[in-house]
Amino acid sequence: MRDLACLIWAATLMTAVFGSAVRADTITLRDWADQSVLVHRVTKSVCLLFVGSSTSVHLDDVAESSARLMARTGTLGIMAAADLELAADVATLTRSARQIAAGDRHSVAVSLLLRTNPRLSSRYADKRIDAPTTVSAQLRPSYALVQDLRVMSQKFQRDLCLFLTDLAPEDAASVFSDDIDHFEHALAQLIEGDRAAGMAAAPNIHIKVTLGKVFAKWKTLKPILQTAASGDVLDPRDAQLASVLGDAMLANLDEVSARFEAL
């Protein structure tokens, strides 16, 4: 009954706010990455509330990111009837996040949040391969990696907090280690190029300098992530520092993305 109510609510919201359906071929790689960024951002902000980290900041972020995620669902949503599932998942995630932020730490709300997050984030993994972009075919491999790093800047924060609260899944450490390696390798590819992968180095000095700023922050963030991946106890203050670093990296990567789109 609750699932049916979610579907009806999502359909009503999408119809009222966005009218007719959006064609699937108009949904860009950047659109899907933006959605995944917000999904992880909502979840990590809720999680940080559990560990008492900068409560007012994260309460505001839950409200803001939830609203942005719901608005973006209209762009990504009802291209076909099956995509009502996307809208319903967003409704579940945002409602659960707001319940928890309001003080309802009941296991049902937490369980719904943790189950819905991976379903929504998997949308990006599925769509990133074939989603259209606004950049040239030559730049697409680099541009796609930029979107991956944008998503991972928030996914790292989510996972770190889940380690702190003992809510991380059993294979979290292994996946986390793989993510660390992927981020570092992808960042090097973007800066230096990778001939074997058909990727040129950063196409202009502005992109290269901004990626250098990301790398500087990464050198501080990486040891914190490795501590969590190794199973050692993580200081909650390090999780807060990781949150600040991740957000700063996201701002840099947003700039890099925009510069690619302007080429």
Side-chain angles (χ1 to χ4, degrees):
M1 197 67 182
R2 177 177 294 176
D3 291 341
L4 178 59
C6 268
L7 287 171
I8 294 171
W9 180 90
T12 302
L13 174 67
M14 294 303 105
T15 302
V17 178
F18 296 98
S20 59
V22 180
R23 288 174 51 193
D25 60 5
T26 67
I27 309 305
T28 67
L29 175 61
R30 175 66 186 263
D31 288 327
W32 287 111
D34 285 350
Q35 189 236 25
S36 195
V37 164
L38 288 169
V39 165
H40 291 318
R41 191 172 182 85
V42 168
T43 308
K44 68 94 177 177
S45 292
V46 170
C47 182
L48 285 169
L49 291 173
F50 274 90
V51 296
S53 183
S54 296
T55 302
S56 62
V57 172
H58 296 301
L59 278 172
D60 290 343
D61 196 50
V62 169
E64 179 186 349
S65 296
S66 294
R68 290 171 60 198
L69 180 58
M70 289 175 67
R72 180 158 293 279
T73 303
T75 305
L76 301 177
I78 338 176
M79 290 91 69
D83 285 304
L84 285 173
E85 181 181 346
L86 171 64
D89 279 343
V90 167
T92 298
L93 183 87
T94 55
R95 185 168 55 249
S96 298
R98 288 169 173 174
Q99 280 182 244
I100 297 167
D104 179 5
R105 305 296 168 87
H106 194 274
S107 60
V108 172
V110 176
S111 177
L112 285 171
L113 184 80
L114 294 179
R115 284 208 311 264
T116 309
N117 176 280
R119 284 208 303 269
L120 283 168
S121 62
S122 70
R123 285 282 186 139
Y124 172 70
D126 293 340
K127 299 291 186 180
R128 69 177 298 283
I129 299 171
D130 298 320
T133 68
T134 57
V135 304
S136 67
Q138 182 180 7
L139 292 175
R140 193 188 194 283
S142 296
Y143 181 74
L145 277 187
V146 172
Q147 304 313 316
D148 287 355
L149 298 192
R150 291 179 64 240
V151 172
M152 291 177 71
S153 73
Q154 301 301 298
K155 184 175 184 290
F156 282 138
Q157 297 181 49
R158 180 206 69 177
D159 290 344
L160 273 178
C161 190
L162 292 181
F163 282 122
L164 279 174
T165 55
D166 294 325
L167 294 172
E170 290 184 7
D171 62 344
S174 175
V175 173
F176 205 54
S177 294
D178 289 344
D179 284 346
I180 293 169
D181 292 342
H182 175 64
F183 190 99
E184 186 159 72
H185 181 61
L187 188 55
Q189 286 179 303
L190 286 168
I191 296 172
E192 302 164 10
D194 185 340
R195 183 174 299 178
M199 291 176 56
N204 63 42
I205 188 62
H206 300 292
I207 289 175
K208 185 172 185 178
V209 167
T210 309
L211 287 171
K213 294 177 181 178
V214 176
F215 182 71
K217 297 176 182 71
W218 173 246
K219 287 193 294 185
T220 303
L221 177 60
K222 182 181 176 182
I224 299 174
L225 304 181
Q226 289 177 318
T227 296
S230 67
D232 292 337
V233 177
L234 186 68
D235 188 326
R237 290 173 296 182
D238 284 338
Q240 182 60 32
L241 174 59
S243 180
V244 172
L245 289 168
D247 287 353
M249 289 165 61
L250 177 61
N252 292 148
L253 291 164
D254 285 348
E255 181 181 344
V256 170
S257 181
R259 289 191 178 277
F260 267 101
E261 290 158 13
L263 293 174

